[in-house]
Structure formats: C-alpha cells, structure tokens
Amino acid sequence: MIDYRIDRGSGVPAYVQIVEQTERALRMGFLKVGDKLPTAKEVVAATAINPNTVLRAYRDLEQTGLVELRRGLGTFVTRSLARPGAEDDSPLRREVTGWVARARAEGLERADVLAMVTAALDAHDNEHDSHPRATGNAGRRTHDRA
Amino acid sequence: MIDYRIDRGSGVPAYVQIVEQTERALRMGFLKVGDKLPTAKEVVAATAINPNTVLRAYRDLEQTGLVELRRGLGTFVTRSLARPGAEDDSPLRREVTGWVARARAEGLERADVLAMVTAALDAHDNEHDSHPRATGNAGRRTHDRA
Amino acid sequence: MIDYRIDRGSGVPAYVQIVEQTERALRMGFLKVGDKLPTAKEVVAATAINPNTVLRAYRDLEQTGLVELRRGLGTFVTRSLARPGAEDDSPLRREVTGWVARARAEGLERADVLAMVTAALDAHDNEHDSHPRATGNAGRRTHDRA
Amino acid sequence: MIDYRIDRGSGVPAYVQIVEQTERALRMGFLKVGDKLPTAKEVVAATAINPNTVLRAYRDLEQTGLVELRRGLGTFVTRSLARPGAEDDSPLRREVTGWVARARAEGLERADVLAMVTAALDAHDNEHDSHPRATGNAGRRTHDRA
DNA sequence: GTGGTCTAGACCACC
DNA sequence: GTGGTCTAGACCACT
C-alpha cells in the first residue's frame, strides 16, 4: 500500500504532492491496475491532512484517467504508467541504484542528487533535439516533476 | 544568467518554482557567490509572471541567506550550496550524464527518469539508517525537492 | 454575461448545474472564446451558493479545456463548442422556436417539451445506427444532458 | 418495460436519473397506470447499480404519488403524467421527430439538440410572461429537468 | 463505512 | 480584488 509523505512547508499544495507521488508509484510499477489506494481516512490517519484534501487529489487522478473512485468501495488504479526499462531488475535500475549509493556515500544530500539528475536532463534535452530547456525544473506540461 | 522556466498548471506556486530552480543552480555551481540574479523585470519579460511574484521568491531566498537584495543594484548570490562531487567534471557527473542519455535513448520520459532516481533514493535511505522514507517526494525540510 | 440558475432540490449537484449551463451556453454561442465568466463572488450574490462550489465547477470546466482560471483576473472562455447549424438565425433555430411556441400554447410544460425531444432523440438514435438507447436521458459520456 | 440507462460519471446521482427517466416515460405515455416497473433485481442486472439505489428512487416516486410499491408483487404506476398533445401520433410529435432528424443529419450532437431546445424554451418563457428564466436548465421545481 | 457534496471561514498566490 | 488551498464539519449517495 502506497504510503504518502506530505511535506508541509514545502510550499507545494498537499493535494499536488499526493498526485505526484501516486504518479511516480504508477511509473515505477509500485502501483498496478486494480490496486486500491488508501482510503481518505487512512491517509488522514497517516498524514494529518484533511479528508477533503485527499479526495481533491483522488478526483484529479480520476480526471486524468489513472484511478476510479467507487463510492462505498474505495479508489482503484485503472491505468498503468509503467515503462519498459524501469522495472525493478532492469539494467537502468541497477545502475541508478549504484550511482545513488555512491553519491550518498560522498556526502551528497537528497536534494543534491536530484539537482544533478535534473541538470543532466536539462543538458541532454538541450543538446538533443526538440524541447530544450535551460535551468528549469518545470515540466513541459503538468505533472512533469517526477 | 539563470533562465527560469515556470510551469503554470503544475499546481506548484510560481515563486516556489523560482526558489527551487535557484537553489538547484546554487547546488550545481551554475550560480556562484557574487553572481547577479536577473532583475524582476527581466524575469517578467521571459516568463510572463508578475514582478511581485519574482520579488516574493527573491525575498524567500534572502531570508534563507542565499542572496542579498541591493536596492537599485539588483539581487546577488551571497552563499554557495556547491558540493564537492557535484562539479561539472566529477565522476558522478560523468556517470549520471551517461545514465540519463541511456534512459532517454530507451524512451523514458523526463518524469520517468526523475521517478527512478527518487525511487532509488527512497530505497537507499530506507536501508541505510537515519532518514527513512517510503514513497515520499517531500524533503525532510523545506526546499528539498531538488 | 451568463446568468446561472441553480435548482436546489433537483438532486443535481450545484456545481454540475453550473457546468451544464456553461456548456450549453458555449454550444449555443452565447459564450465565445475570450468571454469572461462571472466571478465566484458574482455568482454567489446571484445564486446564494458557496464560492467554493462555484470554483469547483470552474475547475471542472478548466480541466475539460473550456475555460482558463487566471488568478487576479477572472475566468475566461478558451474554447468554443458552437456548432454550425445552431446559430441564432439558422433554419433549425427558427423551426424549433416555432415548435416550442406551439407546444407551450397547447399547454405543455417545460418538462413535457424536453421529454418529447428526448424521446424523439432516443427513437432516432435507435433506428439509425450506432449507439441505440431506449428511454435513457443519460449521455453516452459525461456532460450529455443538454 | 422501461429500460433505464445510468450515466455514471455525469455527476448526477443514480437515483435521480431513474426518477427523471421514469417521469419522462410517464409524460410520454410510455408508462401507463397499472404498468409494472422493473424489479430492483432486474434494474441491477441491467445497470450494475445497487438495489438500494433503485429502491431509493422508487420510494421517491411513491412519495410523489406516481407509483405504488406492493411488497412481494412489485412497483406499479398509479398516476399518469401523459399530456394531450404529446401522443405518439400528434402533430407536435411528428414535427419534432422530423426536426430532430434534420438536426442530427446536420451533424448536431444529442447535447446540441437539447441545448437548442432549452435555449428556445428560455427565450419563449422570458418573452411570454410568468416564469422567465435566462440561461438556466433548472426547473422551477424539483424534477423539472425533462 | 466508502466516497461525494456543500458550507463556512481563514489564509495564501497572483495581478 | 481575483482565484486557490486547506480546514472543519454536516449531510448525502452508494456498497
């Protein structure tokens, strides 16, 4: 069961954080079609945010076609975002796991690690083709934050 | 000169995006002590957001001691967040550059790449001690988003 | 300026009524691209529903790409649903105007008139082709109520 | 036998859709006094909604005096809403049938057709006296949606 | 007991 | 002054 972590004080709305974390779990295959999301009540118990805020996030996810809210039953995944190449045992996964371990061992913080990857993405996308970007973290569209 | 990219429609407040991007540039050494940030006017011209929003972000950065607003002159970096190990020509940088290129070549999107790194960070931090986290993207503190 | 009428006690959520009425106005060309919707405050003054309920409806319309919410400015139409054949002076419009007048003159209520049209639509769609329906008023998809 | 079509995702409660469709069938004479409504079980089989939801709708219809629930026997129509002028072979019916066919032939969708009629009703009722309305779809009273 | 709507009011983001 | 988020709590729809 996905376990949301809300960073109050990050300036990012709580419902956006839930949407982002859910999408990330879908991309990684941690959540699969048919899986049940925690009930609003469970999220409230775990995060101390308001049930309405959770429902707002779930409604957003429903409108993008990723989940389905079934009254009386719960909220269920209806679409996967899993990518070939991102599986748990793929070469890319194994490589990034090692790289992250080395970076952490060198004393880099979580934010440093993410900054390096973002910079690498920016550089790559600027050199190759279509959609260049300079320093931005902003997605080309909504939900491009990871 | 840093070039902000604002993703309207991501749900993340514009001023937060500016702060995040600035901190990322500081971590990567793209911005150094003494460097001048673009004026609010320049940012407005480039992003079509309101000057007050830019100033709000700069004020936040000033309060965390990263920049200094000098009236009539501009906004200047006063503190670096650069890390040894994250330099442009460090092994870690070279490795991540290659890894990102391979991931992109396999068809993974920007969001997939960031999701994989976040998952690797979560896994690492869960196994090794201090700051465990499960699925969260949220930083331990404010501004830990990359 | 569109003038929403909320039927409390119809069982239909207020925000759905706002969405339906807005879409209808778009189909009829009463609202055009660039037009401003009333502010939440104005709707509240006119209908005595809560501002959050209005915003919920506007958010829904935004997510279907019909309007854009601009903070500090208001809510604006971004896409038309106008159909050739439904213009104010089209033959179809003139015919239906006359027909409605005759129906009303014969003592039929508003609900009778709409029931007749719905029945005619059902009969037509059942005979011709693809998507038959019997008695339903329900749309093939969301927002098919008029 | 009336055949309910529930549009899940329209935002309109299922029991309201059943009530609306039943009233429409009564107005059109598709259901007559003494006719039996489908059992909750039959509706469930056809629509995949919960039996309690069907019963809730039938109870509403009973309270408005349109049907009678006879335990062990079923639900029966006790009052007609049929209107002279709305019969199957009336001039008005023939006219609207032709008009609908032309509208559909011109490529108008179901929702366009209903929007045009609603607009015509609004215009008519605004000009002629008693019950003016501008853009609304809402009925003067409960259950005035067609 | 699930999700869903609505209300009320406080505070924030943006123009 | 606009829309936006979040909270709190009441009541409803549905399984």
Side-chain angles (χ1 to χ4, degrees):
Chain A
M1 174 78 73
I2 188 170
D3 169 25
Y4 297 113
R5 305 297 173 102
I6 303 306
D7 181 10
R8 333 175 57 73
S10 72
V12 181
Y15 83 91
V16 172
Q17 297 186 39
I18 292 180
V19 168
E20 286 179 353
Q21 290 176 33
T22 306
E23 291 192 346
R24 214 155 52 218
L26 288 168
R27 282 178 195 282
M28 300 307 297
F30 298 161
L31 282 177
K32 298 174 195 54
V33 170
D35 281 359
K36 187 175 182 297
L37 296 188
T39 65
K41 215 174 175 182
E42 287 167 338
V43 177
V44 165
T47 62
I49 64 178
N50 187 285
N52 283 334
T53 303
V54 182
L55 291 176
R56 163 76 198 269
Y58 284 3
R59 233 183 281 126
D60 275 20
L61 286 166
E62 185 177 44
Q63 267 166 328
T64 60
L66 296 174
V67 309
E68 191 184 0
L69 310 208
R70 299 197 208 135
R71 300 217 276 214
L73 293 179
T75 302
F76 299 86
V77 173
T78 52
R79 189 154 70 84
S80 171
L81 292 175
R83 301 273 165 181
E87 304 90 10
D88 221 36
D89 56 351
S90 70
L92 284 172
R93 282 294 287 283
R94 259 181 283 116
E95 291 163 20
V96 77
T97 300
W99 180 81
V100 161
R102 288 195 295 284
R104 292 299 249 153
E106 287 204 22
L108 297 186
E109 292 174 10
R110 192 180 172 83
D112 295 316
V113 170
L114 288 168
M116 285 180 76
V117 176
T118 303
L121 276 166
D122 288 343
H124 179 90
D125 294 359
N126 269 335
E127 282 184 20
H128 305 73
D129 71 289
S130 39
H131 298 302
R133 54 176 48 218
T135 347
N137 67 333
R140 193 125 17 260
R141 330 196 35 67
T142 302
H143 308 314
D144 197 359
R145 297 171 59 86
Chain B
M1 174 78 74
I2 188 169
D3 169 23
Y4 298 113
R5 304 294 173 103
I6 303 305
D7 182 8
R8 333 173 66 64
S10 72
V12 181
Y15 85 92
V16 173
Q17 296 187 37
I18 292 180
V19 169
E20 286 179 352
Q21 291 175 33
T22 307
E23 292 192 347
R24 213 155 54 220
L26 289 168
R27 283 178 195 282
M28 300 305 296
F30 296 161
L31 282 177
K32 298 175 194 54
V33 170
D35 280 359
K36 186 174 180 297
L37 296 188
T39 65
K41 210 172 171 182
E42 287 165 339
V43 176
V44 165
T47 62
I49 64 179
N50 190 286
N52 286 331
T53 303
V54 182
L55 293 176
R56 160 73 197 269
Y58 285 3
R59 249 181 283 121
D60 274 24
L61 287 165
E62 187 176 40
Q63 262 192 323
T64 60
L66 296 173
V67 308
E68 190 181 6
L69 279 69
R70 302 196 205 132
R71 306 204 357 174
L73 294 177
T75 303
F76 298 86
V77 174
T78 52
R79 186 155 69 86
S80 172
L81 292 174
R83 300 273 165 180
E87 304 88 11
D88 220 35
D89 56 351
S90 72
L92 283 172
R93 280 296 288 285
R94 258 181 285 114
E95 290 163 19
V96 78
T97 300
W99 180 81
V100 161
R102 287 195 295 282
R104 292 300 249 156
E106 287 205 22
L108 297 186
E109 294 174 10
R110 192 179 173 85
D112 295 316
V113 170
L114 289 168
M116 286 181 78
V117 175
T118 304
L121 276 166
D122 288 343
H124 179 91
D125 295 358
N126 269 335
E127 284 185 18
H128 305 71
D129 70 289
S130 43
H131 298 306
R133 56 175 49 222
T135 348
N137 67 333
R140 183 104 5 246
R141 337 194 28 72
T142 301
H143 307 313
D144 195 0
R145 296 172 59 85
Chain C
M1 175 78 75
I2 188 170
D3 169 24
Y4 298 113
R5 305 296 172 101
I6 304 306
D7 181 10
R8 335 177 53 75
S10 73
V12 180
Y15 83 91
V16 172
Q17 296 186 37
I18 292 179
V19 169
E20 286 179 353
Q21 290 175 33
T22 307
E23 291 192 347
R24 216 156 51 219
L26 288 167
R27 282 179 195 283
M28 301 306 296
F30 297 160
L31 283 176
K32 297 173 196 55
V33 170
D35 281 359
K36 187 175 181 296
L37 295 189
T39 66
K41 214 174 175 180
E42 287 166 340
V43 176
V44 165
T47 62
I49 64 180
N50 187 285
N52 283 334
T53 302
V54 182
L55 291 177
R56 161 79 197 268
Y58 284 4
R59 233 183 283 126
D60 276 21
L61 287 166
E62 185 177 44
Q63 266 166 330
T64 61
L66 296 173
V67 309
E68 192 182 1
L69 309 209
R70 299 197 208 136
R71 301 217 278 216
L73 294 179
T75 302
F76 299 85
V77 174
T78 52
R79 189 155 69 84
S80 171
L81 291 175
R83 301 272 165 182
E87 304 89 9
D88 221 36
D89 56 350
S90 71
L92 282 172
R93 281 293 289 285
R94 261 181 282 114
E95 291 163 20
V96 77
T97 300
W99 180 81
V100 161
R102 288 195 295 282
R104 291 300 249 152
E106 287 204 21
L108 297 186
E109 294 173 9
R110 191 179 173 85
D112 295 316
V113 169
L114 288 168
M116 287 181 75
V117 175
T118 304
L121 276 166
D122 288 344
H124 179 89
D125 294 0
N126 269 335
E127 282 184 20
H128 305 72
D129 72 291
S130 40
H131 298 304
R133 55 175 50 218
T135 346
N137 67 332
R140 190 124 20 258
R141 332 197 33 67
T142 301
H143 307 315
D144 197 357
R145 296 172 59 86
Chain D
M1 173 78 73
I2 188 170
D3 168 23
Y4 298 114
R5 306 296 174 99
I6 304 304
D7 182 9
R8 332 171 67 63
S10 72
V12 181
Y15 85 92
V16 173
Q17 297 186 39
I18 292 180
V19 169
E20 286 179 353
Q21 291 176 33
T22 307
E23 292 193 347
R24 214 155 53 218
L26 289 168
R27 283 178 195 282
M28 301 306 296
F30 298 160
L31 283 176
K32 298 174 195 55
V33 171
D35 280 358
K36 186 173 180 297
L37 295 188
T39 64
K41 211 172 171 183
E42 288 166 338
V43 176
V44 165
T47 61
I49 65 178
N50 189 287
N52 287 331
T53 304
V54 183
L55 293 176
R56 160 73 197 268
Y58 285 2
R59 248 182 283 122
D60 273 24
L61 287 165
E62 186 177 40
Q63 262 194 323
T64 59
L66 296 173
V67 309
E68 189 181 6
L69 279 69
R70 302 197 205 133
R71 307 200 1 172
L73 294 177
T75 303
F76 298 86
V77 173
T78 52
R79 187 153 69 84
S80 169
L81 292 175
R83 299 274 166 179
E87 304 88 10
D88 220 35
D89 57 350
S90 72
L92 283 172
R93 281 296 289 286
R94 258 181 284 114
E95 290 163 18
V96 77
T97 299
W99 180 80
V100 161
R102 287 195 295 283
R104 292 299 249 155
E106 286 204 22
L108 297 187
E109 294 172 11
R110 192 180 172 84
D112 295 316
V113 170
L114 288 167
M116 285 181 76
V117 175
T118 303
L121 276 165
D122 288 343
H124 179 90
D125 294 358
N126 269 335
E127 283 186 18
H128 306 71
D129 67 290
S130 41
H131 298 306
R133 57 178 46 221
T135 349
N137 66 335
R140 183 109 2 250
R141 342 193 26 72
T142 301
H143 307 313
D144 195 0
R145 296 173 61 84

Coordinates of all heavy atoms in Angstrom, one line a residue, chain D residues 92-143:
Chain D
L92 N -47.5 17.6 -33.0 CA -46.2 18.1 -32.3 C -45.2 17.0 -32.4 O -44.0 17.2 -32.6 CB -46.5 18.5 -30.9 CG -47.2 19.9 -30.7 CD1 -47.6 20.0 -29.2 CD2 -46.2 21.0 -31.1
R93 N -45.6 15.8 -32.1 CA -44.7 14.7 -32.1 C -44.1 14.5 -33.5 O -42.9 14.2 -33.7 CB -45.3 13.4 -31.7 CG -45.5 13.2 -30.2 CD -44.2 13.2 -29.5 NE -43.5 11.9 -29.7 CZ -43.8 10.8 -29.1 NH1 -44.8 10.7 -28.3 NH2 -43.1 9.7 -29.4
R94 N -45.0 14.5 -34.5 CA -44.4 14.3 -35.8 C -43.4 15.4 -36.2 O -42.4 15.2 -36.8 CB -45.6 14.3 -36.8 CG -45.9 12.8 -37.2 CD -47.0 12.7 -38.2 NE -48.3 12.9 -37.6 CZ -49.1 13.9 -37.8 NH1 -48.8 14.8 -38.7 NH2 -50.3 14.0 -37.2
E95 N -43.8 16.7 -35.8 CA -42.9 17.8 -36.2 C -41.5 17.6 -35.5 O -40.5 17.8 -36.1 CB -43.6 19.1 -35.7 CG -44.8 19.5 -36.6 CD -45.6 20.6 -35.9 OE1 -45.1 21.2 -35.0 OE2 -46.8 20.7 -36.3
V96 N -41.6 17.3 -34.2 CA -40.3 17.2 -33.5 C -39.4 16.1 -34.0 O -38.2 16.2 -34.1 CB -40.5 17.2 -32.0 CG1 -40.9 15.8 -31.5 CG2 -39.2 17.6 -31.3
T97 N -40.1 15.0 -34.4 CA -39.4 13.9 -35.0 C -38.6 14.3 -36.2 O -37.4 14.0 -36.4 CB -40.4 12.7 -35.3 OG1 -41.0 12.3 -34.1 CG2 -39.6 11.6 -35.9
G98 N -39.3 15.0 -37.1 CA -38.7 15.5 -38.3 C -37.5 16.5 -38.0 O -36.4 16.4 -38.5
W99 N -37.8 17.4 -37.1 CA -36.8 18.4 -36.7 C -35.5 17.7 -36.2 O -34.4 18.1 -36.5 CB -37.4 19.4 -35.7 CG -36.4 20.4 -35.3 CD1 -36.1 21.6 -36.0 CD2 -35.6 20.5 -34.2 NE1 -35.2 22.3 -35.4 CE2 -34.8 21.7 -34.2 CE3 -35.5 19.6 -33.1 CZ2 -33.9 22.0 -33.2 CZ3 -34.6 20.0 -32.1 CH2 -33.8 21.1 -32.1
V100 N -35.7 16.8 -35.3 CA -34.6 16.1 -34.7 C -33.8 15.4 -35.8 O -32.6 15.4 -35.8 CB -35.1 15.1 -33.6 CG1 -34.0 14.0 -33.3 CG2 -35.4 15.8 -32.3
A101 N -34.5 14.7 -36.7 CA -33.8 14.0 -37.8 C -33.0 15.0 -38.6 O -31.8 14.7 -38.9 CB -34.8 13.3 -38.7
R102 N -33.5 16.2 -38.9 CA -32.8 17.2 -39.7 C -31.5 17.6 -38.9 O -30.4 17.8 -39.4 CB -33.6 18.3 -40.0 CG -34.7 18.0 -41.1 CD -35.3 19.3 -41.7 NE -36.1 20.1 -40.7 CZ -37.3 19.7 -40.3 NH1 -37.9 18.7 -40.8 NH2 -37.9 20.5 -39.5
A103 N -31.7 17.9 -37.6 CA -30.6 18.4 -36.7 C -29.5 17.3 -36.7 O -28.3 17.7 -36.9 CB -31.1 18.7 -35.3
R104 N -29.9 16.1 -36.5 CA -28.9 15.0 -36.5 C -28.2 14.9 -37.8 O -27.0 14.7 -37.9 CB -29.5 13.7 -36.1 CG -30.0 13.7 -34.7 CD -28.9 13.8 -33.7 NE -28.7 12.6 -32.9 CZ -27.5 12.3 -32.4 NH1 -26.5 13.2 -32.5 NH2 -27.3 11.2 -31.7
A105 N -29.0 15.1 -38.9 CA -28.4 15.0 -40.2 C -27.4 16.1 -40.5 O -26.4 15.9 -41.2 CB -29.5 15.0 -41.3
E106 N -27.6 17.2 -39.8 CA -26.6 18.3 -40.0 C -25.4 18.1 -39.1 O -24.6 19.0 -39.0 CB -27.3 19.6 -39.7 CG -28.3 20.1 -40.7 CD -28.5 21.6 -40.7 OE1 -27.6 22.3 -40.2 OE2 -29.5 22.0 -41.2
G107 N -25.4 17.0 -38.4 CA -24.2 16.8 -37.6 C -24.3 17.2 -36.1 O -23.3 17.1 -35.4
L108 N -25.4 17.7 -35.7 CA -25.5 18.2 -34.3 C -25.6 16.9 -33.4 O -26.2 15.9 -33.7 CB -26.8 19.0 -34.1 CG -26.8 20.3 -34.9 CD1 -28.0 21.2 -34.6 CD2 -25.5 21.1 -34.7
E109 N -24.9 17.1 -32.3 CA -24.9 16.0 -31.3 C -26.2 16.1 -30.4 O -26.9 17.1 -30.4 CB -23.7 16.1 -30.4 CG -22.4 15.9 -31.1 CD -21.2 16.2 -30.2 OE1 -21.5 16.4 -29.0 OE2 -20.1 16.2 -30.7
R110 N -26.4 15.0 -29.7 CA -27.5 15.0 -28.8 C -27.5 16.2 -27.9 O -28.6 16.8 -27.7 CB -27.4 13.7 -28.0 CG -28.5 13.3 -27.2 CD -28.2 12.0 -26.4 NE -29.3 11.7 -25.5 CZ -30.4 11.1 -25.8 NH1 -30.6 10.7 -27.0 NH2 -31.3 10.9 -24.9
A111 N -26.4 16.5 -27.3 CA -26.3 17.6 -26.4 C -26.6 18.9 -27.1 O -27.2 19.8 -26.5 CB -24.9 17.7 -25.8
D112 N -26.2 19.1 -28.4 CA -26.5 20.3 -29.1 C -28.0 20.4 -29.3 O -28.6 21.5 -29.1 CB -25.9 20.2 -30.5 CG -24.4 20.2 -30.5 OD1 -23.8 21.0 -29.7 OD2 -23.7 19.4 -31.2
V113 N -28.7 19.3 -29.6 CA -30.1 19.4 -29.8 C -30.8 19.8 -28.6 O -31.7 20.7 -28.6 CB -30.6 18.0 -30.3 CG1 -32.1 17.9 -30.2 CG2 -30.1 17.6 -31.7
L114 N -30.4 19.2 -27.5 CA -31.1 19.5 -26.2 C -30.8 21.0 -25.8 O -31.6 21.7 -25.2 CB -30.6 18.6 -25.1 CG -31.2 17.2 -25.3 CD1 -30.5 16.2 -24.3 CD2 -32.7 17.2 -24.9
A115 N -29.6 21.4 -26.1 CA -29.2 22.8 -25.8 C -30.1 23.8 -26.6 O -30.5 24.8 -26.1 CB -27.7 23.1 -26.1
M116 N -30.3 23.5 -27.9 CA -31.1 24.3 -28.7 C -32.6 24.4 -28.2 O -33.2 25.5 -28.1 CB -31.2 23.8 -30.1 CG -29.9 24.1 -30.9 SD -30.0 23.5 -32.6 CE -31.0 24.7 -33.4
V117 N -33.1 23.3 -27.8 CA -34.5 23.3 -27.2 C -34.5 24.1 -25.9 O -35.4 24.9 -25.7 CB -35.0 21.9 -27.0 CG1 -36.3 21.9 -26.4 CG2 -35.0 21.1 -28.4
T118 N -33.5 23.8 -25.1 CA -33.5 24.6 -23.8 C -33.4 26.1 -24.1 O -34.1 26.9 -23.4 CB -32.3 24.1 -23.0 OG1 -32.4 22.7 -22.8 CG2 -32.3 24.8 -21.6
A119 N -32.6 26.4 -25.0 CA -32.5 27.9 -25.3 C -33.8 28.4 -25.9 O -34.2 29.5 -25.5 CB -31.4 28.1 -26.4
A120 N -34.5 27.6 -26.7 CA -35.8 28.1 -27.2 C -36.8 28.2 -26.1 O -37.6 29.2 -26.1 CB -36.2 27.1 -28.3
L121 N -36.7 27.3 -25.2 CA -37.7 27.4 -24.0 C -37.4 28.6 -23.2 O -38.3 29.3 -22.8 CB -37.5 26.1 -23.2 CG -38.3 24.9 -23.6 CD1 -37.8 23.6 -22.9 CD2 -39.8 25.1 -23.3
D122 N -36.1 28.8 -23.0 CA -35.7 30.0 -22.2 C -36.2 31.3 -22.8 O -36.8 32.2 -22.2 CB -34.2 30.1 -22.0 CG -33.7 29.0 -21.0 OD1 -34.5 28.4 -20.3 OD2 -32.5 28.7 -21.1
A123 N -35.9 31.4 -24.1 CA -36.3 32.6 -24.9 C -37.8 32.8 -24.8 O -38.4 33.9 -24.5 CB -35.9 32.5 -26.3
H124 N -38.6 31.7 -25.1 CA -40.0 31.8 -25.1 C -40.5 32.2 -23.7 O -41.4 33.1 -23.6 CB -40.6 30.4 -25.4 CG -42.1 30.4 -25.4 ND1 -42.9 30.7 -26.5 CD2 -43.0 30.1 -24.4 CE1 -44.1 30.6 -26.2 NE2 -44.3 30.3 -24.9
D125 N -40.0 31.6 -22.7 CA -40.6 31.8 -21.3 C -40.2 33.2 -20.8 O -40.8 33.8 -20.0 CB -40.1 30.8 -20.3 CG -40.7 29.4 -20.7 OD1 -41.5 29.3 -21.7 OD2 -40.4 28.4 -20.0
N126 N -39.1 33.7 -21.4 CA -38.7 35.1 -21.0 C -39.6 36.1 -21.6 O -39.9 37.1 -21.0 CB -37.2 35.3 -21.4 CG -36.2 35.0 -20.3 OD1 -36.6 35.0 -19.2 ND2 -35.0 34.7 -20.7
E127 N -40.0 35.8 -22.9 CA -40.8 36.8 -23.6 C -42.3 36.8 -23.1 O -42.9 37.8 -22.8 CB -40.8 36.5 -25.1 CG -39.5 37.0 -25.7 CD -39.6 36.8 -27.2 OE1 -40.7 36.7 -27.8 OE2 -38.5 36.8 -27.8
H128 N -42.8 35.6 -23.0 CA -44.2 35.4 -22.6 C -44.2 35.2 -21.1 O -44.1 34.1 -20.6 CB -44.8 34.3 -23.3 CG -44.7 34.3 -24.7 ND1 -43.5 34.1 -25.4 CD2 -45.6 34.6 -25.7 CE1 -43.7 34.3 -26.7 NE2 -44.9 34.6 -26.9
D129 N -44.5 36.3 -20.4 CA -44.9 36.3 -19.0 C -44.2 35.5 -17.9 O -43.0 35.6 -17.7 CB -46.4 35.9 -19.0 CG -46.5 34.4 -19.5 OD1 -46.3 34.2 -20.7 OD2 -46.8 33.6 -18.6
S130 N -45.0 34.7 -17.3 CA -45.0 34.2 -16.0 C -43.6 33.7 -15.4 O -43.2 34.2 -14.4 CB -45.9 33.0 -15.9 OG -45.9 32.2 -17.1
H131 N -43.0 32.8 -16.1 CA -41.9 32.2 -15.5 C -40.6 32.4 -16.2 O -40.0 31.5 -16.7 CB -42.1 30.6 -15.4 CG -43.3 30.3 -14.5 ND1 -43.5 30.7 -13.3 CD2 -44.4 29.6 -14.8 CE1 -44.6 30.3 -12.8 NE2 -45.2 29.6 -13.7
P132 N -40.1 33.6 -16.2 CA -38.9 33.9 -17.0 C -37.7 33.2 -16.4 O -37.6 32.9 -15.3 CB -38.8 35.4 -16.8 CG -39.4 35.7 -15.5 CD -40.5 34.7 -15.4
R133 N -36.8 33.0 -17.3 CA -35.5 32.4 -16.9 C -34.6 32.8 -18.0 O -35.0 33.0 -19.2 CB -35.6 30.9 -16.8 CG -36.1 30.3 -18.1 CD -36.1 28.8 -18.0 NE -36.7 28.4 -16.7 CZ -36.2 27.5 -16.0 NH1 -35.1 26.8 -16.4 NH2 -36.8 27.2 -14.9
A134 N -33.3 32.8 -17.7 CA -32.3 33.3 -18.7 C -31.6 32.2 -19.4 O -31.9 31.9 -20.5 CB -31.3 34.2 -18.0
T135 N -30.7 31.6 -18.7 CA -29.9 30.5 -19.3 C -30.1 29.2 -18.6 O -29.6 28.2 -19.0 CB -28.4 30.9 -19.1 OG1 -28.3 32.2 -18.7 CG2 -27.7 30.7 -20.4
G136 N -30.8 29.2 -17.5 CA -30.9 28.1 -16.6 C -31.5 26.8 -17.3 O -32.2 26.9 -18.2
N137 N -31.1 25.7 -16.7 CA -31.7 24.5 -17.1 C -32.6 24.0 -16.0 O -33.4 23.1 -16.1 CB -30.7 23.4 -17.3 CG -30.0 23.0 -16.0 OD1 -29.9 23.9 -15.1 ND2 -29.5 21.8 -16.0
A138 N -32.4 24.6 -14.8 CA -33.1 24.1 -13.7 C -34.6 24.4 -13.8 O -35.0 25.3 -14.3 CB -32.5 24.8 -12.4
G139 N -35.3 23.4 -13.2 CA -36.8 23.6 -13.3 C -37.2 24.5 -12.2 O -36.5 24.8 -11.3
R140 N -38.4 25.0 -12.4 CA -39.0 25.8 -11.4 C -39.1 25.0 -10.1 O -39.1 25.6 -9.0 CB -40.4 26.3 -11.8 CG -41.0 27.3 -10.9 CD -41.1 28.8 -11.4 NE -40.5 28.8 -12.7 CZ -39.3 29.4 -13.0 NH1 -38.7 30.0 -12.0 NH2 -38.8 29.4 -14.1
R141 N -39.4 23.7 -10.2 CA -39.5 22.9 -9.0 C -38.6 21.7 -9.2 O -38.0 21.5 -10.2 CB -40.9 22.4 -8.7 CG -42.0 23.2 -9.4 CD -43.3 22.8 -8.8 NE -43.2 22.4 -7.5 CZ -42.9 23.2 -6.5 NH1 -42.8 24.5 -6.7 NH2 -42.8 22.7 -5.2
T142 N -38.6 20.9 -8.2 CA -37.9 19.6 -8.3 C -38.4 18.8 -9.5 O -39.6 18.9 -9.9 CB -38.3 18.8 -7.0 OG1 -37.8 19.5 -5.9 CG2 -37.5 17.5 -7.1
H143 N -37.5 18.1 -10.1 CA -37.8 17.2 -11.2 C -38.4 17.9 -12.4 O -39.4 17.6 -12.9 CB -38.9 16.1 -10.8 CG -38.4 15.4 -9.6 ND1 -37.2 14.9 -9.4 CD2 -39.1 15.1 -8.4 CE1 -37.1 14.3 -8.2 NE2 -38.2 14.5 -7.6

